[in-house]
Amino acid sequence: MKKLIALSSALALGLTVAACDGPQENAMEDAGEQNAEAVNDQAEAMEDAGQISDAQADAMTDQAEDKADAMEETGEAMDNGAAPAATATTN
């Protein structure tokens, strides 16, 4: 439940500053947040089923949130006319 509250707060804060973002950044941020939310839901379901530990669920969520942040930064770079920096991701 704590994760849900934290995620909701982060999304609300994101909506507050969204007016300052460009269209690519907004699109990338939205896609990243949707993916992170899906991963979080999946991790919580796996934890509830006893398939993974709380620490493993947290790690999955953290990794998805890091990827969402990287996607947002890529979108921001695209809006600013800069080539996005190469990012290494592991799945």
Side-chain angles (χ1 to χ4, degrees):
M1 186 62 155
K2 293 177 190 176
K3 293 177 204 171
L4 181 60
I5 293 169
L7 183 59
S8 296
S9 296
L11 290 174
L13 178 61
L15 291 174
T16 302
V17 298
C20 301
D21 298 340
Q24 293 292 335
E25 182 178 358
N26 283 334
M28 297 289 277
E29 180 180 12
D30 290 345
E33 286 175 354
Q34 287 175 356
N35 182 61
E37 193 170 326
V39 169
N40 183 58
D41 291 345
Q42 180 184 16
E44 286 182 357
M46 292 173 70
E47 180 186 355
D48 292 344
Q51 296 173 334
I52 60 175
S53 69
D54 182 51
Q56 290 170 314
D58 289 345
M60 286 177 64
T61 299
D62 289 346
Q63 183 179 15
E65 289 173 355
D66 289 345
K67 185 174 181 181
D69 290 343
M71 289 175 66
E72 181 181 1
E73 289 176 14
T74 299
E76 182 178 12
M78 292 168 67
D79 283 335
N80 292 331
T87 57
T89 58
T90 57
N91 292 337

Coordinates of all heavy atoms in Angstrom, one line a residue:
M1 N 0.8 -1.2 0.0 CA 0.0 0.0 0.0 C 0.9 1.3 0.0 O 0.5 2.2 -0.6 CB -0.9 -0.1 1.2 CG -1.9 1.0 1.3 SD -3.0 1.0 -0.1 CE -4.4 1.8 0.5
K2 N 2.0 1.2 0.7 CA 2.9 2.3 0.7 C 3.4 2.7 -0.6 O 3.5 3.8 -1.0 CB 4.1 2.0 1.7 CG 3.8 1.9 3.1 CD 5.0 1.6 3.9 CE 4.6 1.2 5.3 NZ 5.8 0.8 6.1
K3 N 3.7 1.6 -1.4 CA 4.2 1.9 -2.8 C 3.1 2.6 -3.6 O 3.4 3.4 -4.4 CB 4.5 0.5 -3.5 CG 5.7 -0.2 -2.8 CD 5.9 -1.5 -3.5 CE 6.6 -2.4 -2.6 NZ 6.7 -3.8 -3.1
L4 N 1.8 2.2 -3.5 CA 0.8 2.8 -4.2 C 0.6 4.3 -3.9 O 0.4 5.1 -4.7 CB -0.6 2.0 -3.9 CG -1.8 2.6 -4.7 CD1 -1.6 2.5 -6.2 CD2 -3.0 1.8 -4.3
I5 N 0.7 4.6 -2.6 CA 0.6 6.0 -2.2 C 1.8 6.8 -2.7 O 1.6 7.9 -3.2 CB 0.6 6.1 -0.6 CG1 -0.7 5.5 -0.1 CG2 0.7 7.5 -0.1 CD1 -0.8 5.3 1.4
A6 N 3.0 6.2 -2.7 CA 4.2 6.9 -3.2 C 4.0 7.1 -4.7 O 4.4 8.2 -5.2 CB 5.4 6.1 -2.9
L7 N 3.6 6.1 -5.4 CA 3.4 6.2 -6.9 C 2.4 7.2 -7.2 O 2.5 8.1 -8.1 CB 3.0 4.8 -7.5 CG 2.9 4.8 -9.0 CD1 4.2 5.2 -9.7 CD2 2.5 3.4 -9.4
S8 N 1.3 7.2 -6.4 CA 0.2 8.2 -6.7 C 0.7 9.6 -6.4 O 0.4 10.6 -7.2 CB -1.0 8.0 -5.8 OG -1.6 6.7 -6.1
S9 N 1.5 9.8 -5.4 CA 2.0 11.1 -5.1 C 3.0 11.6 -6.2 O 3.0 12.7 -6.6 CB 2.8 11.1 -3.8 OG 1.9 10.8 -2.7
A10 N 3.8 10.7 -6.7 CA 4.7 11.0 -7.8 C 4.0 11.4 -9.0 O 4.4 12.3 -9.8 CB 5.7 9.8 -8.0
L11 N 2.9 10.6 -9.3 CA 2.1 10.9 -10.5 C 1.5 12.3 -10.4 O 1.4 13.1 -11.4 CB 1.1 9.8 -10.8 CG 1.6 8.5 -11.2 CD1 0.5 7.5 -11.3 CD2 2.3 8.6 -12.6
A12 N 1.0 12.6 -9.2 CA 0.3 13.9 -9.0 C 1.3 15.0 -9.2 O 1.1 16.1 -9.8 CB -0.3 14.0 -7.7
L13 N 2.5 14.8 -8.6 CA 3.6 15.8 -8.8 C 4.0 16.0 -10.3 O 4.2 17.1 -10.8 CB 4.8 15.5 -8.0 CG 6.0 16.4 -8.1 CD1 5.6 17.8 -7.6 CD2 7.2 15.9 -7.3
G14 N 4.0 14.9 -10.9 CA 4.4 14.9 -12.4 C 3.3 15.6 -13.2 O 3.7 16.4 -14.1
L15 N 2.1 15.5 -12.8 CA 1.0 16.3 -13.5 C 1.1 17.8 -13.3 O 0.8 18.6 -14.1 CB -0.3 15.7 -13.1 CG -0.7 14.3 -13.6 CD1 -2.0 13.9 -13.0 CD2 -0.7 14.3 -15.1
T16 N 1.6 18.1 -12.1 CA 1.8 19.5 -11.7 C 2.8 20.2 -12.6 O 2.6 21.3 -13.1 CB 2.2 19.7 -10.3 OG1 1.2 19.0 -9.5 CG2 2.3 21.1 -9.9
V17 N 3.9 19.5 -12.9 CA 5.0 20.1 -13.7 C 4.9 19.8 -15.2 O 5.7 20.2 -16.0 CB 6.4 19.7 -13.2 CG1 6.6 20.3 -11.8 CG2 6.6 18.2 -13.2
A18 N 3.9 19.0 -15.6 CA 3.7 18.5 -16.9 C 3.6 19.7 -17.9 O 3.9 19.6 -19.1 CB 2.6 17.6 -17.1
A19 N 3.0 20.8 -17.4 CA 2.8 21.9 -18.3 C 4.1 22.5 -18.8 O 4.1 23.2 -19.9 CB 2.0 23.0 -17.6
C20 N 5.2 22.3 -18.2 CA 6.5 22.8 -18.6 C 7.2 21.9 -19.6 O 8.2 22.3 -20.1 CB 7.4 23.0 -17.4 SG 6.7 24.1 -16.1
D21 N 6.7 20.7 -19.8 CA 7.3 19.7 -20.6 C 6.9 19.8 -22.0 O 5.8 20.3 -22.3 CB 7.0 18.3 -20.1 CG 7.5 18.0 -18.7 OD1 8.3 18.8 -18.2 OD2 7.0 17.1 -18.0
G22 N 7.7 19.4 -22.9 CA 7.4 19.4 -24.3 C 6.6 18.1 -24.7 O 6.5 17.2 -23.9
P23 N 6.2 18.0 -25.9 CA 5.3 16.9 -26.3 C 6.0 15.5 -26.3 O 5.4 14.5 -25.9 CB 4.8 17.2 -27.7 CG 5.8 18.2 -28.2 CD 6.3 19.0 -27.0
Q24 N 7.3 15.5 -26.7 CA 8.0 14.2 -26.7 C 8.3 13.8 -25.3 O 8.2 12.6 -24.9 CB 9.4 14.4 -27.5 CG 9.2 14.6 -28.9 CD 8.6 13.4 -29.7 OE1 8.8 12.2 -29.2 NE2 8.0 13.6 -30.8
E25 N 8.7 14.7 -24.4 CA 8.9 14.4 -23.0 C 7.7 13.9 -22.4 O 7.7 12.9 -21.6 CB 9.4 15.6 -22.3 CG 9.8 15.3 -20.8 CD 10.4 16.5 -20.1 OE1 10.5 17.6 -20.7 OE2 10.6 16.3 -18.9
N26 N 6.5 14.5 -22.6 CA 5.3 14.0 -22.0 C 4.9 12.6 -22.5 O 4.5 11.8 -21.7 CB 4.1 15.0 -22.4 CG 4.2 16.3 -21.5 OD1 4.7 16.3 -20.4 ND2 3.6 17.3 -22.1
A27 N 5.1 12.4 -23.8 CA 4.8 11.1 -24.3 C 5.7 10.0 -23.7 O 5.2 8.9 -23.3 CB 4.9 11.1 -25.8
M28 N 6.9 10.3 -23.7 CA 7.9 9.3 -23.1 C 7.6 9.1 -21.6 O 7.7 8.0 -21.2 CB 9.3 9.8 -23.4 CG 9.7 9.9 -24.9 SD 9.9 8.3 -25.7 CE 11.5 7.9 -25.2
E29 N 7.3 10.2 -20.9 CA 7.1 10.1 -19.5 C 5.8 9.2 -19.3 O 5.8 8.3 -18.4 CB 6.9 11.4 -18.9 CG 6.6 11.4 -17.4 CD 6.5 12.8 -16.8 OE1 6.3 13.8 -17.6 OE2 6.5 12.9 -15.6
D30 N 4.8 9.5 -20.0 CA 3.5 8.7 -19.9 C 3.8 7.2 -20.1 O 3.3 6.4 -19.4 CB 2.4 9.3 -20.8 CG 1.9 10.6 -20.4 OD1 2.2 11.1 -19.2 OD2 1.3 11.3 -21.2
A31 N 4.5 6.9 -21.2 CA 4.7 5.5 -21.5 C 5.6 4.9 -20.4 O 5.3 3.7 -20.0 CB 5.4 5.4 -22.9
G32 N 6.6 5.6 -20.0 CA 7.4 5.0 -18.9 C 6.7 4.8 -17.6 O 6.8 3.7 -16.9
E33 N 5.8 5.7 -17.2 CA 5.0 5.6 -16.0 C 4.0 4.4 -16.1 O 3.8 3.7 -15.2 CB 4.3 6.9 -15.7 CG 5.2 8.0 -15.2 CD 4.5 9.3 -14.9 OE1 3.3 9.4 -15.3 OE2 5.2 10.2 -14.4
Q34 N 3.4 4.3 -17.3 CA 2.5 3.2 -17.5 C 3.2 1.8 -17.4 O 2.7 0.9 -16.7 CB 1.8 3.3 -18.8 CG 0.8 4.4 -18.9 CD 0.2 4.5 -20.3 OE1 0.6 3.9 -21.3 NE2 -0.8 5.4 -20.4
N35 N 4.4 1.7 -18.0 CA 5.1 0.5 -17.9 C 5.6 0.2 -16.4 O 5.4 -0.9 -15.9 CB 6.4 0.6 -18.7 CG 7.2 -0.7 -18.7 OD1 6.7 -1.8 -19.1 ND2 8.4 -0.6 -18.3
A36 N 6.0 1.3 -15.7 CA 6.4 1.1 -14.3 C 5.3 0.7 -13.5 O 5.4 -0.2 -12.6 CB 7.0 2.4 -13.8
E37 N 4.1 1.2 -13.7 CA 2.9 0.8 -12.9 C 2.6 -0.6 -13.2 O 2.2 -1.4 -12.3 CB 1.7 1.7 -13.3 CG 0.6 1.6 -12.3 CD -0.5 2.7 -12.6 OE1 -0.1 3.8 -13.0 OE2 -1.6 2.4 -12.4
A38 N 2.6 -1.1 -14.5 CA 2.4 -2.5 -14.8 C 3.4 -3.4 -14.1 O 3.0 -4.4 -13.6 CB 2.4 -2.7 -16.3
V39 N 4.6 -3.0 -14.1 CA 5.7 -3.8 -13.5 C 5.4 -3.9 -12.0 O 5.5 -5.0 -11.4 CB 7.1 -3.3 -13.8 CG1 8.1 -4.0 -13.0 CG2 7.4 -3.5 -15.3
N40 N 5.1 -2.8 -11.4 CA 4.8 -2.7 -10.0 C 3.6 -3.7 -9.6 O 3.7 -4.4 -8.7 CB 4.5 -1.3 -9.5 CG 4.3 -1.2 -8.0 OD1 5.1 -1.6 -7.2 ND2 3.1 -0.7 -7.6
D41 N 2.6 -3.6 -10.4 CA 1.4 -4.5 -10.2 C 1.8 -6.0 -10.3 O 1.4 -6.8 -9.5 CB 0.3 -4.2 -11.2 CG -0.4 -2.8 -10.9 OD1 -0.2 -2.2 -9.9 OD2 -1.1 -2.3 -11.9
Q42 N 2.6 -6.3 -11.3 CA 3.1 -7.6 -11.5 C 3.9 -8.1 -10.3 O 3.8 -9.2 -9.8 CB 3.8 -7.8 -12.8 CG 4.3 -9.2 -13.1 CD 5.2 -9.2 -14.4 OE1 5.6 -8.2 -14.9 NE2 5.4 -10.4 -14.9
A43 N 4.8 -7.2 -9.9 CA 5.7 -7.6 -8.8 C 4.9 -7.8 -7.5 O 5.2 -8.8 -6.8 CB 6.8 -6.5 -8.6
E44 N 3.9 -7.0 -7.3 CA 3.1 -7.1 -6.1 C 2.3 -8.4 -6.1 O 2.2 -9.1 -5.1 CB 2.2 -5.9 -5.9 CG 2.9 -4.7 -5.4 CD 2.0 -3.5 -5.1 OE1 0.8 -3.6 -5.4 OE2 2.5 -2.5 -4.7
A45 N 1.8 -8.8 -7.3 CA 1.1 -10.0 -7.5 C 2.0 -11.2 -7.2 O 1.6 -12.2 -6.6 CB 0.5 -10.1 -8.8
M46 N 3.2 -11.2 -7.8 CA 4.2 -12.2 -7.6 C 4.6 -12.4 -6.1 O 4.7 -13.5 -5.6 CB 5.4 -12.0 -8.4 CG 5.2 -12.1 -9.9 SD 6.6 -11.7 -10.9 CE 7.7 -13.0 -10.6
E47 N 4.7 -11.2 -5.4 CA 5.1 -11.2 -4.0 C 3.9 -11.8 -3.2 O 4.1 -12.7 -2.3 CB 5.4 -9.8 -3.5 CG 5.7 -9.8 -2.0 CD 5.9 -8.3 -1.5 OE1 5.8 -7.4 -2.3 OE2 6.0 -8.2 -0.3
D48 N 2.7 -11.4 -3.5 CA 1.5 -11.9 -2.8 C 1.4 -13.5 -3.0 O 0.9 -14.2 -2.1 CB 0.2 -11.2 -3.3 CG 0.2 -9.8 -2.8 OD1 1.0 -9.4 -1.9 OD2 -0.6 -9.0 -3.4
A49 N 1.8 -14.0 -4.2 CA 1.7 -15.4 -4.5 C 2.8 -16.2 -3.9 O 2.9 -17.4 -4.0 CB 1.6 -15.6 -6.0
G50 N 3.8 -15.5 -3.3 CA 4.9 -16.1 -2.6 C 6.0 -16.5 -3.6 O 6.9 -17.3 -3.3
Q51 N 5.9 -16.0 -4.8 CA 6.9 -16.3 -5.8 C 8.2 -15.6 -5.7 O 9.3 -16.0 -6.1 CB 6.4 -16.1 -7.2 CG 5.2 -16.9 -7.6 CD 4.5 -16.5 -8.9 OE1 4.6 -15.4 -9.3 NE2 3.9 -17.5 -9.5
I52 N 8.2 -14.4 -5.1 CA 9.4 -13.5 -4.9 C 9.3 -12.9 -3.5 O 8.2 -12.8 -3.0 CB 9.6 -12.5 -6.0 CG1 8.4 -11.5 -6.1 CG2 9.8 -13.1 -7.4 CD1 8.5 -10.3 -7.0
S53 N 10.4 -12.4 -3.1 CA 10.4 -11.7 -1.8 C 10.0 -10.2 -1.9 O 10.0 -9.7 -3.1 CB 11.8 -11.8 -1.2 OG 12.7 -11.0 -1.9
D54 N 9.8 -9.6 -0.8 CA 9.5 -8.1 -0.9 C 10.7 -7.3 -1.5 O 10.5 -6.4 -2.3 CB 9.2 -7.6 0.6 CG 8.9 -6.1 0.6 OD1 8.0 -5.7 -0.2 OD2 9.5 -5.4 1.4
A55 N 11.9 -7.7 -1.1 CA 13.1 -7.1 -1.7 C 13.2 -7.2 -3.2 O 13.5 -6.3 -3.9 CB 14.3 -7.6 -1.0
Q56 N 12.8 -8.4 -3.7 CA 12.8 -8.6 -5.1 C 11.8 -7.8 -5.8 O 12.0 -7.3 -6.9 CB 12.7 -10.1 -5.4 CG 13.9 -11.0 -5.0 CD 13.6 -12.5 -5.1 OE1 12.5 -12.9 -4.7 NE2 14.5 -13.2 -5.7
A57 N 10.6 -7.7 -5.2 CA 9.5 -6.9 -5.8 C 9.9 -5.4 -5.8 O 9.7 -4.8 -6.8 CB 8.2 -7.1 -5.0
D58 N 10.5 -5.0 -4.7 CA 11.0 -3.6 -4.7 C 12.1 -3.3 -5.8 O 12.1 -2.3 -6.4 CB 11.6 -3.3 -3.3 CG 10.5 -3.1 -2.3 OD1 9.3 -3.0 -2.6 OD2 10.9 -3.1 -1.1
A59 N 13.0 -4.3 -6.0 CA 14.0 -4.2 -7.0 C 13.4 -4.1 -8.4 O 13.8 -3.3 -9.2 CB 15.0 -5.3 -6.9
M60 N 12.4 -4.9 -8.7 CA 11.7 -4.9 -10.0 C 11.1 -3.5 -10.2 O 11.2 -2.9 -11.3 CB 10.6 -6.0 -10.0 CG 11.1 -7.4 -10.2 SD 9.8 -8.6 -10.2 CE 8.9 -8.2 -11.7
T61 N 10.4 -3.0 -9.2 CA 9.8 -1.7 -9.3 C 10.8 -0.6 -9.5 O 10.6 0.3 -10.3 CB 8.9 -1.4 -8.0 OG1 7.9 -2.5 -8.0 CG2 8.2 -0.1 -8.1
D62 N 11.9 -0.6 -8.7 CA 12.9 0.4 -8.8 C 13.5 0.4 -10.2 O 13.8 1.5 -10.8 CB 14.0 0.1 -7.8 CG 13.6 0.5 -6.4 OD1 12.5 1.1 -6.2 OD2 14.3 0.0 -5.4
Q63 N 13.8 -0.8 -10.8 CA 14.4 -0.9 -12.1 C 13.4 -0.3 -13.1 O 13.8 0.4 -14.0 CB 14.7 -2.3 -12.4 CG 15.4 -2.5 -13.8 CD 15.7 -3.9 -14.1 OE1 15.2 -4.9 -13.5 NE2 16.6 -4.1 -15.1
A64 N 12.1 -0.6 -13.0 CA 11.1 0.0 -14.0 C 11.0 1.5 -13.8 O 10.9 2.2 -14.8 CB 9.8 -0.7 -13.7
E65 N 11.1 2.0 -12.6 CA 11.0 3.4 -12.4 C 12.3 4.1 -13.0 O 12.2 5.2 -13.5 CB 10.9 3.8 -10.9 CG 9.5 3.4 -10.4 CD 9.3 3.6 -8.9 OE1 10.3 3.8 -8.2 OE2 8.1 3.4 -8.5
D66 N 13.5 3.5 -12.8 CA 14.7 4.0 -13.4 C 14.6 4.1 -14.9 O 15.0 5.1 -15.6 CB 15.9 3.2 -13.0 CG 16.3 3.3 -11.5 OD1 15.8 4.3 -10.9 OD2 17.0 2.5 -11.0
K67 N 14.0 3.0 -15.5 CA 13.8 3.0 -17.0 C 12.8 4.1 -17.4 O 13.1 4.8 -18.4 CB 13.3 1.7 -17.4 CG 13.2 1.5 -18.9 CD 12.8 0.1 -19.3 CE 12.7 0.0 -20.8 NZ 12.3 -1.4 -21.2
A68 N 11.8 4.4 -16.6 CA 10.8 5.4 -16.9 C 11.5 6.8 -16.8 O 11.3 7.7 -17.7 CB 9.6 5.4 -15.9
D69 N 12.4 7.0 -15.9 CA 13.1 8.2 -15.8 C 14.0 8.5 -17.0 O 14.1 9.6 -17.5 CB 14.0 8.3 -14.5 CG 13.1 8.4 -13.2 OD1 11.9 8.8 -13.3 OD2 13.7 8.1 -12.1
A70 N 14.7 7.4 -17.4 CA 15.5 7.5 -18.6 C 14.7 7.8 -19.8 O 15.2 8.6 -20.7 CB 16.3 6.2 -18.8
M71 N 13.5 7.2 -19.9 CA 12.7 7.5 -21.1 C 12.3 9.0 -21.1 O 12.2 9.6 -22.1 CB 11.4 6.6 -21.1 CG 11.7 5.2 -21.4 SD 10.2 4.1 -21.2 CE 9.2 4.7 -22.5
E72 N 11.9 9.5 -19.9 CA 11.6 10.9 -19.8 C 12.7 11.8 -20.2 O 12.5 12.8 -21.0 CB 11.1 11.2 -18.4 CG 10.7 12.7 -18.2 CD 10.3 13.0 -16.8 OE1 10.3 12.1 -15.9 OE2 9.9 14.2 -16.6
E73 N 13.9 11.5 -19.8 CA 15.1 12.3 -20.1 C 15.3 12.2 -21.6 O 15.7 13.3 -22.2 CB 16.3 11.8 -19.4 CG 16.3 12.1 -17.9 CD 17.4 11.5 -17.1 OE1 18.4 11.1 -17.7 OE2 17.3 11.5 -15.9
T74 N 15.1 11.1 -22.3 CA 15.3 11.0 -23.7 C 14.3 11.9 -24.4 O 14.6 12.6 -25.4 CB 15.1 9.5 -24.1 OG1 16.1 8.7 -23.5 CG2 15.2 9.4 -25.7
G75 N 13.0 11.9 -23.9 CA 12.0 12.7 -24.5 C 12.3 14.2 -24.4 O 12.1 15.0 -25.3
E76 N 12.9 14.6 -23.2 CA 13.3 16.0 -23.0 C 14.4 16.4 -24.0 O 14.3 17.4 -24.5 CB 13.7 16.1 -21.6 CG 14.1 17.6 -21.2 CD 14.5 17.8 -19.8 OE1 14.7 16.8 -19.1 OE2 14.6 18.9 -19.4
A77 N 15.3 15.5 -24.2 CA 16.4 15.8 -25.1 C 15.9 15.9 -26.5 O 16.3 16.8 -27.3 CB 17.5 14.6 -25.0
M78 N 14.9 15.1 -26.9 CA 14.3 15.2 -28.2 C 13.6 16.5 -28.4 O 13.7 17.2 -29.4 CB 13.3 14.0 -28.4 CG 14.1 12.7 -28.5 SD 12.9 11.3 -28.4 CE 12.0 11.4 -29.9
D79 N 12.9 17.0 -27.3 CA 12.2 18.3 -27.4 C 13.2 19.4 -27.5 O 12.8 20.4 -28.1 CB 11.3 18.5 -26.1 CG 10.0 17.7 -26.2 OD1 9.6 17.3 -27.3 OD2 9.5 17.3 -25.1
N80 N 14.3 19.3 -26.9 CA 15.3 20.3 -27.0 C 16.2 20.3 -28.2 O 17.2 21.1 -28.3 CB 16.2 20.3 -25.7 CG 15.4 20.7 -24.5 OD1 14.5 21.4 -24.5 ND2 15.8 20.1 -23.3
G81 N 15.9 19.4 -29.1 CA 16.6 19.3 -30.3 C 18.0 18.5 -30.2 O 18.8 18.5 -31.1
A82 N 18.2 18.0 -29.1 CA 19.4 17.2 -28.8 C 19.2 15.8 -29.1 O 18.1 15.2 -29.0 CB 19.9 17.4 -27.4
A83 N 20.3 15.1 -29.6 CA 20.2 13.7 -29.8 C 20.2 13.0 -28.4 O 20.9 13.4 -27.5 CB 21.4 13.2 -30.6
P84 N 19.3 12.1 -28.2 CA 19.2 11.4 -26.9 C 20.5 10.7 -26.6 O 21.1 10.1 -27.5 CB 18.0 10.5 -27.0 CG 17.7 10.4 -28.5 CD 18.3 11.6 -29.2
A85 N 20.9 10.7 -25.4 CA 22.1 10.0 -25.0 C 21.8 8.5 -25.0 O 20.6 8.1 -24.7 CB 22.4 10.4 -23.5
A86 N 22.7 7.7 -25.4 CA 22.6 6.3 -25.4 C 22.5 5.8 -24.0 O 23.2 6.2 -23.1 CB 23.8 5.6 -26.1
T87 N 21.5 4.9 -23.7 CA 21.3 4.4 -22.4 C 21.4 2.8 -22.5 O 20.8 2.3 -23.4 CB 20.0 4.8 -21.8 OG1 18.9 4.4 -22.6 CG2 19.9 6.3 -21.5
A88 N 22.0 2.3 -21.5 CA 22.0 0.8 -21.4 C 20.9 0.3 -20.5 O 20.7 0.8 -19.4 CB 23.4 0.3 -20.9
T89 N 20.1 -0.6 -21.0 CA 19.1 -1.1 -20.2 C 19.2 -2.6 -20.2 O 19.6 -3.3 -21.2 CB 17.7 -0.8 -20.7 OG1 17.5 -1.2 -22.1 CG2 17.4 0.8 -20.7
T90 N 18.8 -3.2 -19.1 CA 18.8 -4.7 -19.0 C 17.3 -5.1 -18.6 O 16.7 -4.4 -17.8 CB 19.7 -5.2 -17.9 OG1 19.4 -4.6 -16.7 CG2 21.2 -4.9 -18.3
N91 N 16.9 -6.1 -19.2 CA 15.5 -6.6 -18.8 C 15.6 -7.9 -18.1 O 16.3 -8.7 -18.3 CB 14.7 -6.7 -20.1 CG 14.4 -5.4 -20.7 OD1 14.4 -4.4 -20.0 ND2 14.1 -5.4 -22.0

